[in-house]
Amino acid sequence: MPIIIAVCKKFNLYDYHDKRKIHSGNIPRLGGIGIFGSFVISTFVFLALNKNVSIKDNLPIMIACFIIFLFAVLDDIFTFPAFLKLVVQLAASAIVTFNGFRFNQIFAWHIPAALSHIITFCWIVGLINAYNLIDGLDGLCGSLSITAIITIGVLYTFSNNQEAFICFILAASILGFLCFNWPPAKIFMGDCGSQFLGFMIAILPFYTSGDYFEYNKFLIMIVLTAFPLFDTIAAIWRRLRDHKPIMSPDKAHLHHKLLNMGFSSRSALYLIFSLQIILCLSVTLAYFMGTFKGFSVLALATIFMVWIFAIIHYTNRGINRLHRGYLQQQPEEPQSEENQNQ
């Protein structure tokens, strides 16, 4: 990370401040290179030393994540149109999906192949962009990612899945980045980091696992990714309602609302991080409770998140209305005689 920071400063590769950004000053923005680099090197070393895991079986995922990462790095530097980003994301999703990595069942329902491909495509593309959109606060995307990934790794460990190693190597790579991204951040992960993490979290549940995990897997992933997922759904609805392009930026994401409610950047991060820990614990508890009781716990966790988002939304809306009412009540400043004559 110190090397990446130095390179970014030398070539002016900054996340420049504008009216939408929360941070002040210009911060280096290619921290995702460090996450990706450490993950790939460590993974290849592990695969080379561990004969129980096949490099060939994981090759489609490696190729797809490299495509996502490489294009996102170029996008961080040159800025490409949203349509081109979507094309690349769909191409990477196709590589994964048509090589057998997809949702095969939701609860006890085995999904028809065609529908399974559609759901998987939407899931991967949606989560890539969800983690990209949630990356607006120091430490936020990294902390949401590392907790979700560790939880999946723990569940895979209980299911005796060799792929748990991917989760723990990736979590360690994110931890190294968070040492430099925790507020006040010295570097941001950029699109190359957030899109890569969104892609990896999206594809991690596609490995086969034990019956308990497999039955509730879809709902488990909804709970683990609730913050970025629900925030993205709210953003899409908000832009459709206001007749704006879906990809248009705004300042109405979850962290913006918390800041508007009076939270500091650090306290908003700690609140979201604490709630994410509760979600991860509920998922782990649900795993040990079996299929049906586990489903009940996961359903309650989902309802809890809907409730949290509703409270934040309506509280923020009430504050905005009070602010608008206050501004409307302020008397207009009298014009000077010179201005009146003009």
Side-chain angles (χ1 to χ4, degrees), residues 3 56 92 120 130 188 196 216 235 268-269:
I3 295 172
K56 182 180 178 180
T120 304
F188 296 151
F196 165 66
N216 286 319
L269 171 64

Side-chain angles (χ1 to χ4, degrees), residues 220-241:
I220 283 172
M221 293 308 302
I222 295 294
V223 173
L224 289 178
T225 61
F227 275 109
L229 197 60
F230 287 9
D231 187 54
T232 300
I233 293 171
I236 293 172
W237 164 249
R238 184 169 60 247
R239 290 159 191 174
L240 290 174
R241 179 197 63 196

Side-chain angles (χ1 to χ4, degrees), residues 264-279:
S264 66
S265 296
R266 192 181 290 266
S267 61
L269 171 64
Y270 289 159
L271 173 64
I272 297 173
F273 184 61
S274 300
L275 292 172
Q276 174 73 3
I277 293 294
I278 293 173
L279 295 179

Side-chain angles (χ1 to χ4, degrees), residues 37-318:
S38 59
F39 169 71
V40 169
I41 293 170
S42 302
T43 300
F44 271 110
V45 170
F46 182 88
L47 290 173
L49 297 176
N50 192 327
K51 304 303 180 184
N52 295 323
V53 182
S54 170
I55 295 179
K56 182 180 178 180
D57 292 343
N58 289 279
L59 198 57
I61 288 178
M62 293 179 181
I63 293 172
C65 77
F66 180 74
I67 290 172
I68 290 289
F69 168 76
L70 180 61
F71 183 83
V73 170
L74 296 174
D75 184 41
D76 276 329
I77 298 172
F78 300 109
T79 308
F80 296 126
F83 176 76
L84 189 56
K85 297 179 188 179
L86 179 61
V87 170
V88 173
Q89 291 168 7
L90 288 171
S93 301
I95 293 172
V96 171
T97 305
F98 290 112
N99 278 281
F101 294 94
R102 54 190 172 89
F103 286 113
N104 293 308
Q105 72 176 61
I106 296 179
F107 307 122
W109 179 49
H110 289 273
I111 312 170
L115 182 59
S116 172
H117 283 89
I118 293 171
I119 292 173
T120 304
F121 265 83
C122 293
W123 169 257
I124 295 175
V125 173
L127 223 58
I128 290 172
N129 290 288
Y131 277 87
N132 186 224
L133 289 174
I134 204 71
D135 185 28
L137 201 65
D138 292 356
L140 181 56
C141 185
S143 59
L144 290 176
S145 300
I146 194 172
T147 46
I149 290 165
I150 289 175
T151 304
I152 298 170
V154 169
L155 298 185
Y156 273 149
T157 301
F158 291 142
S159 301
N160 295 317
N161 277 55
Q162 288 289 332
E163 287 78 15
F165 81 91
I166 294 178
C167 301
F168 296 127
I169 291 175
L170 183 55
S173 301
I174 299 169
L175 181 61
F177 165 75
L178 280 174
C179 294
F180 296 86
N181 183 244
W182 205 253
K186 299 179 180 66
I187 188 171
F188 296 151
M189 66 172 64
D191 284 4
C192 62
S194 59
Q195 291 193 32
F196 165 66
L197 291 178
F199 174 81
M200 289 302 299
I201 293 170
I203 59 92
L204 283 176
F206 298 151
Y207 291 106
T208 55
S209 54
D211 291 340
Y212 290 161
F213 188 14
E214 199 68 36
Y215 182 87
N216 286 319
K217 183 180 284 185
F218 190 78
L219 191 53
I220 283 172
M221 293 308 302
I222 295 294
V223 173
L224 289 178
T225 61
F227 275 109
L229 197 60
F230 287 9
D231 187 54
T232 300
I233 293 171
I236 293 172
W237 164 249
R238 184 169 60 247
R239 290 159 191 174
L240 290 174
R241 179 197 63 196
D242 297 337
H243 305 290
K244 294 180 178 178
I246 291 179
M247 301 302 292
S248 63
D250 60 26
K251 291 191 68 173
H253 289 286
L254 179 68
H255 46 280
H256 292 124
K257 292 177 180 178
L258 290 174
L259 295 176
N260 189 48
M261 289 164 56
F263 286 83
S264 66
S265 296
R266 192 181 290 266
S267 61
L269 171 64
Y270 289 159
L271 173 64
I272 297 173
F273 184 61
S274 300
L275 292 172
Q276 174 73 3
I277 293 294
I278 293 173
L279 295 179
C280 293
L281 291 175
S282 69
V283 165
T284 308
L285 175 64
Y287 176 87
F288 288 106
M289 294 182 68
T291 54
F292 298 109
K293 290 181 180 179
F295 170 81
S296 301
V297 173
L298 295 170
L300 287 173
T302 305
I303 294 170
F304 171 72
M305 282 305 300
V306 172
W307 179 68
I308 290 293
F309 267 78
I311 289 176
I312 293 173
H313 169 73
Y314 285 109
T315 303
N316 178 69
R317 190 167 72 172

